[in-house]
């Protein structure tokens, strides 16, 4: 059993520094910037170790606030170890940001309500929150295995998808593969020049210069003269006429394509293999919820957390507004900080400052029911992500229901603070209209196929108030240790209290970290 | 309806020349070498035009030999247009090389019989033939849509898979991502040197040299000095200790990794998105077979093809050995040439020479039932392909049944002539034993999980005699036009009579081409 959990390979140290590119604004909000060492990283550190071995709980009470991934991992693991665990959840469903919208579902923001009016269909879902499971996120993948959540392949980067930048190529969309292959060709041509001029010093001596040239020629699809003339290899001069014209290198450099967009699929958390649960990301939360039937109290909105002599006392309101209270020697709070700021607490000043100071990304998504999967029928796009310089930022094509008649198209995925704030402020109709307008640059004339749009602005989702924590380096240095230690009887968990913020894997690992702290306290009580 | 077929984008001209790398032997049998212009191609030409419009058949007889993809496309399209089409198929199942082995199936080679002794399970199948549907193979994908064959994502290149070469890194396996990222880093460092020395002439003038450097730094994950020191970006010197050590560039160059292996996923026919039918590739052939119930005569082994005054006469034997004959003004022969060589014909000398001369690849595969999906549990590999310099060449991990208890591992995929011939000559036990031994270099100690191996050597499969046609450039020039024209009343179709040999897409397009020839003859009869 234990063997299942232990993974003999590491996945990069999320603490490592990130060097911003020339123009930092282009990078603002890039999801992986702070938490993964670099765009092409691999290597050292932090293999998933599985849940810690717990000392027997012997009925020791633990109160968990929030039935998201972190809270439910705690509920599951503590229950298995004999702790008496209760989870208070403000919503009437488990999962938190692990959420899939399907026919009939409600989206409630602070000032609006939307009803999902799509047909029922296993593939007709929309994940407003997380939508990717990278292959090396062993924690969350292990729980999928444990819970029997069926997984399938998800195509993340697709050579057939589009890149579009209003500032380059006259705003014309380009196929990912054209940009990727031409860029590699031009860079390799430059490298060949360096070899030609004897600038090769890394490694200091290359025995086989001929092999080096042969490698570069192959790598960059260069011609006999080690020049890149487009992706076709042309030894036969008579074929020259058929040579596809490569994109202008200067335009590529001028575009924002290279700043992540044309190679986002090489980032450690974005590279293949990417997985997804069959039927929507919420399959994970739903499976946890079934296992924790009776452990989770739904509709329990926490209003107060206060220390007592023997632990902490949590006050909460039920859906009818009636007040309740629960006490436990240990409370694990997974409530996202924007929501926690509205809870009355007697935390220490340093804890309060940390809670107040942590930034959250106001990410947002828009999805439409497509009456026709035009991206497949007309453009040969099956899954993956297109990028545009316009506000919608990304368009996601479903990796499920391929060649079905209808599909759910994610027509916007916004994750920069500025755009997210502006999006949050828009009326619902305007969000949809603007998304459709932006979409024209990627899929001209196709908006007529899109209907029944739904938008989710995490900033305005009650009990969240933001999509995920965005740690600055200074906050990380000052507040993170404080929060990891907890505040007396109260421990913190959730993606924000992890080395992988913004990922469900972070939530899992934060829960395991909290378990270590609980184990210490359980041991201390015994002795 | 018609709109569904027309695709507004092109996919590279398969006629274009291929420039072999330094050592041509490393390249022998590379599947795409002759038929796709280059490893990173995209661009011009040959959008899928859909099936040709046919003049009404008015019951005109067409006899099709072979119920593989080409034959069944013909059967389907001709039937729709009012032709009286009969398909003779030597086997008792439709599909030909479109084939999935499942519990209880038989594999009959010329001198052996194997029974598949695996459990039943939707994901417990093995495709001895084609196993990939690239996103731009619009012909075969269109028929999947038409037939209602459910598709799913297939992971082809996986950054988590292994590359292994006995001649480099002491034979130690390397993760794909390490090789890919380190290679890009080193090449980009060289390019930066060229920029530094003012060797930049493509494009002749780059306005923003600073932006160029910034681009290169980002692209290659270079450090501040534009040096590649491993995939981590390290501006903070204190982090230097955590830097993952990059692979030695000289070793990468010395290895065979770069000759396709580390970038096979960038070849046009190998790049994402890659698709597969749910439940096995044979779902396509099976669906065609159901549609063509009554059109296909099974167990009909063709022995003779001879001209008559009004067309051709085909003699065939049924399973009991009884002889039958059929006549038609047009016969379309899709029988693979190694098998056709055993049929008595009165073809013209040029046709016979073309049939005799065409080479076929003796490709082979081995698959095992894995009692435990160790590649997922222990190594985080979900789908994709590992490569080794040893004879098994490739190991394929299933893209279906993720995290299930058991799975089918393709432990060898051999497609070079030399290795394929040697494999064909081995006894069944030896094939499996050798594959397991080779597998040790990729998955040490895991062979104990593998059982009930099945091997398929296409050279020894009756009615095939080889996996796919391998056109030399001279054969292409001399014989291809002859074969495309046909031999009097006999037309030829199949992957070998196409611009995309070795792919089901080629079979579809060859069938459409044959339809054009049939249409001409139908018109000629009318006037």
């Amino acid at each position: 059993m234990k063997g299942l959990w232990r993974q003999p390979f590491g996945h990069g140290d999320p603490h490592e520094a990130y060097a911003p590119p020339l123009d930092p604004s282009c990078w603002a909000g890039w999801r992986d910037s702070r938490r993964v060492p670099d765009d092409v990283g691999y290597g050292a550190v932090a293999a998933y170790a599985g849940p810690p071995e717990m000392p027997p709980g012997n009925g020791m009470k633990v109160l968990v606030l929030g039935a998201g991934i972190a809270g439910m991992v705690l509920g599951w693991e503590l229950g298995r170890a004999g702790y008496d665990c209760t989870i208070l959840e403000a919503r009437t469903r488990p999962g938190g940001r692990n959420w899939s919208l399907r026919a009939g579902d409600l989206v409630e923001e602070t000032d609006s309500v939307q009803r999902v009016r799509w047909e029922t269909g296993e593939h007709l879902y929309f994940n407003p929150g997380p939508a990717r499971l990278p292959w090396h996120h062993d924690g969350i993948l292990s729980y999928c295995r444990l819970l029997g959540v069926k997984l399938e392949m998800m195509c993340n980067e697709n050579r057939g998808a589009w890149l579009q930048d209003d500032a380059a190529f006259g705003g014309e969309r380009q196929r990912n593969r054209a940009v990727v292959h031409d860029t590699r060709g031009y860079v390799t041509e430059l490298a060949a020049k360096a070899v030609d001029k004897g600038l090769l010093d890394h490694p200091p001596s290359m025995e086989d210069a001929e092999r080096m040239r042969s490698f570069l020629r192959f790598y960059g699809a260069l011609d006999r003269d080690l020049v890149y003339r487009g992706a076709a290899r042309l030894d036969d001069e008579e074929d020259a006429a058929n040579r596809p014209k490569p994109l202008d290198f200067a335009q590529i450099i001028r575009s924002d394509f290279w700043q992540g967009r044309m190679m986002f699929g090489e980032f450690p958390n974005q590279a293949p293999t990417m997985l997804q649960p069959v039927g929507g990301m919420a399959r994970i939360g739903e499976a946890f919820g079934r296992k924790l039937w009776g452990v989770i109290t739904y509709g329990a909105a926490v209003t107060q957390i206060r220390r007592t002599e023997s632990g902490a006392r949590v006050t909460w309101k039920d859906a009818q507004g009636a007040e309740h209270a629960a006490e436990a020697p240990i409370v694990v709070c997974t409530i996202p900080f924007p929501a926690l700021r509205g809870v009355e607490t007697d935390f220490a000043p340093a804890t309060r400052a940390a809670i107040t100071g942590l930034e959250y990304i106001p990410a947002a998504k828009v999805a439409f029911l497509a009456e026709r999967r035009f991206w497949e029928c007309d453009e040969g796009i099956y899954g993956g992500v297109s990028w545009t310089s316009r506000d919608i930022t990304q368009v996601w094509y479903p990796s499920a229901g391929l060649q079905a008649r209808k599909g759910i198209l994610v027509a916007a995925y916004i994750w920069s603070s500025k755009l997210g704030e502006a999006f949050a402020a828009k009326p619902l109709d305007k969000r949809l209209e603007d998304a459709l307008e932006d979409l024209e640059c990627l899929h001209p004339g196709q908006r007529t196929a899109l209907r029944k749009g739904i938008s989710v602005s995490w900033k305005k989702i009650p009990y969240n108030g933001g999509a995920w924590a965005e740690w600055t380096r200074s906050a990380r240095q000052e507040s993170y240790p404080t929060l990891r230690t907890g505040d007396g009887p109260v421990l913190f968990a959730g993606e924000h209290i992890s080395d992988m913020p913004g990922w469900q894997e972070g939530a899992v690992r934060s829960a395991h970290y909290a378990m270590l702290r609980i184990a210490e306290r359980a041991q201390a009580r015994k002795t």
Side-chain angles (χ1 to χ4, degrees), chain A residues 100-116:
Chain A
S100 301
L101 288 168
R102 308 185 185 102
D105 286 349
L106 280 184
V107 177
E108 297 181 79
E109 295 190 7
T110 49
D111 56 1
S112 69
V113 178
Q114 302 167 78
R115 172 79 69 184
V116 178

Side-chain angles (χ1 to χ4, degrees), chain A residues 65 302-308 312-315 331 333 335-337 339-356 483 487 489-490 492:
Chain A
L65 310 183
V302 171
T303 54
Q304 223 179 50
I305 306 171
R306 294 206 176 275
R307 283 202 199 197
T308 62
R313 179 185 165 88
V314 174
T315 311
V331 171
C333 174
I335 300 171
F337 284 180
L340 187 57
R341 286 166 204 153
V343 173
E344 246 187 270
T345 69
D346 55 3
F347 292 150
T351 308
R352 298 163 88 108
I355 291 168
T356 308
L483 293 168
D487 191 288
V490 179
F492 298 99

Side-chain angles (χ1 to χ4, degrees), chain A residues 460-471:
Chain A
K460 296 177 102 172
I461 297 287
Y463 311 119
N464 285 100
W468 65 84
E470 186 79 352
W471 287 92

Side-chain angles (χ1 to χ4, degrees), chain A residues 28-31 34-35 97 338 358-364 413-418 420-421 457-459 465-471 495:
Chain A
W30 174 256
R31 303 190 64 196
R34 310 273 168 78
R35 76 188 67 105
R97 282 161 282 182
L358 185 57
E359 272 178 66
Y360 271 68
I361 295 292
Y413 176 24
I414 290 168
W415 35 261
S416 88
S417 293
K418 197 181 141 204
E421 294 290 347
S457 164
W458 282 100
K459 190 188 152 91
W468 65 84
E470 186 79 352
W471 287 92
E495 53 85 16

